[in-house]
Amino acid sequence: MPVHHVLLYLFTGAAAGLVGAMLGIGGGVFLVPLLTLVLGVPIRAAVAASLISVIATATASSTVNLDRGLVNMRLAMALEVATSIGGLGGGLAASLLSTQQLFVLFGGTLAVMGALMLLRSGRRNVIADTSVDPGRLGGRLQEGDTTYVYRVRRLNLALAASLVAGAVSGLLGLGGGIIKVPVLNTFCGVPIRVAAATSAFMIGVTAAASVFVYFARGDVVLPVAAAVALGALPGSIAGARLGQRVEARALKIFMAAVLLLVGGRMALEVL
Amino acid sequence: MTGRIEALEDVIETALKVGLALSTGLLLVGLIAGAGRPLRWGILLLMLTPVVRVAVVTAGLAVERDWTFTAVSFVVLAILLSGIWVSVHR
């Protein structure tokens, strides 16, 4: 592989890791379109490289987020059951769908989530009264000098969203955070930073549920996947650090914009 | 309980860092030398890091005797291992 291609993949991975870790979505959402549409990588090789990069992003950003107490471990474990079942199913089903169907599914999912996120960006989930019991799955969040409490609501919805997120992840090479973060934040009472950190913690496991299927099928192009993952590592550490400094509302609007843009772009490709 | 979860988080963080360091080293060597074998092992090691992470969590929670979440975590581990099994035997 020529050196300038390696550099291009490294840079692509770094950019996807930076934004992906900041929003807790892994970065597959940028990687798959970039690799397929701009760099001409076949979709299944792009999905496989993306899943590996998602694992790199999840692992690297979690070393930062665990240190800062942003990961809700119990919630992550409960939801991982649903995402990993969905992930394995999606990975196995991927060979049954056409490229065009994959693109439509991808674009449609993103656009809907983007609209949802934008509509509800003004709401906050945290309670300033620290005497409130966060419950078994809830937790506390430190922002500057203030400690907030949050409770997890509608666990069934979070589990259902995680199952779908897992399946979409296995099919499309995403982390699945693109579905989990908006649902956890807008419907389940989880603050955006905790939703992002917890999702980032989970997406490595979601991706791992399907990535072995791709690997065994020979879809992993080693130098492409390696260069993208190597770029994603420093990118996602920087993204995780940056995510903690940005205002919560700005994070939500940024995420909504990203979803609408990428979703629209993918949908246009098919039309 | 919270203190124990924090201790477990430290162990997980170390496991993730070791997995990252080893796979990064192999991927760098593979890319620079243009060698397939270190690339393959680096990618496989990276893919296995989340599986090891879930195994560490399962073991940690069992040590803490938090049986509900040990069971939850064990189910995740079983799904991941069955994914690997299916991939190898297809």
Side-chain angles (χ1 to χ4, degrees), chain B:
Chain B
M1 184 62 87
T2 310
R4 284 188 278 172
I5 277 279
E6 275 164 8
L8 183 56
E9 285 181 358
D10 286 343
V11 180
I12 297 166
E13 207 183 311
T14 309
L16 295 181
K17 280 181 179 164
V18 170
L20 270 186
L22 290 175
S23 53
T24 305
L26 284 167
L27 291 180
L28 274 174
V29 169
L31 267 186
I32 292 166
R37 192 169 288 184
L39 280 186
R40 196 175 177 79
W41 282 106
I43 294 276
L44 266 174
L45 203 64
L46 189 59
M47 283 161 52
L48 282 169
T49 302
V51 184
V52 172
R53 193 271 274 168
V54 176
V56 168
V57 172
T58 312
L61 289 167
V63 170
E64 303 294 345
R65 296 174 181 277
D66 183 345
W67 300 121
T68 313
F69 281 95
T70 302
V72 169
S73 192
F74 183 77
V75 171
V76 177
L77 185 62
I79 296 164
L80 291 182
L81 293 177
S82 67
I84 297 175
W85 191 86
V86 169
S87 307
V88 173
H89 290 89
R90 263 161 75 96

Side-chain angles (χ1 to χ4, degrees), chain A residues 1 41-42 45-46 48-49 52 218-226, chain B residues 43:
Chain A
M1 195 162 62
V41 177
I52 289 164
D219 288 332
V220 177
V221 181
L222 291 172
V224 174
Chain B
I43 294 276

Side-chain angles (χ1 to χ4, degrees), chain A residues 26 51 129 135 198 202 217:
Chain A
L51 284 171
D129 179 3
T198 304
M202 293 167 62
R217 224 166 22 211

Side-chain angles (χ1 to χ4, degrees), chain A residues 19 22-23 25 30 110 113-123 181-182 185-186 192 246-261:
Chain A
V19 183
M22 198 156 101
L23 299 174
I25 58 174
F30 313 109
L110 300 193
M113 285 300 152
L116 217 86
M117 193 100 203
L118 200 60
L119 283 174
R120 308 183 68 144
S121 65
R123 289 172 52 147
V181 175
N185 180 246
T186 46
I192 185 82
V246 180
E247 282 274 315
R249 176 135 201 249
L251 268 183
K252 291 185 214 176
I253 292 173
F254 180 38
M255 176 143 181
V258 160
L259 297 180
L260 286 168
L261 277 173

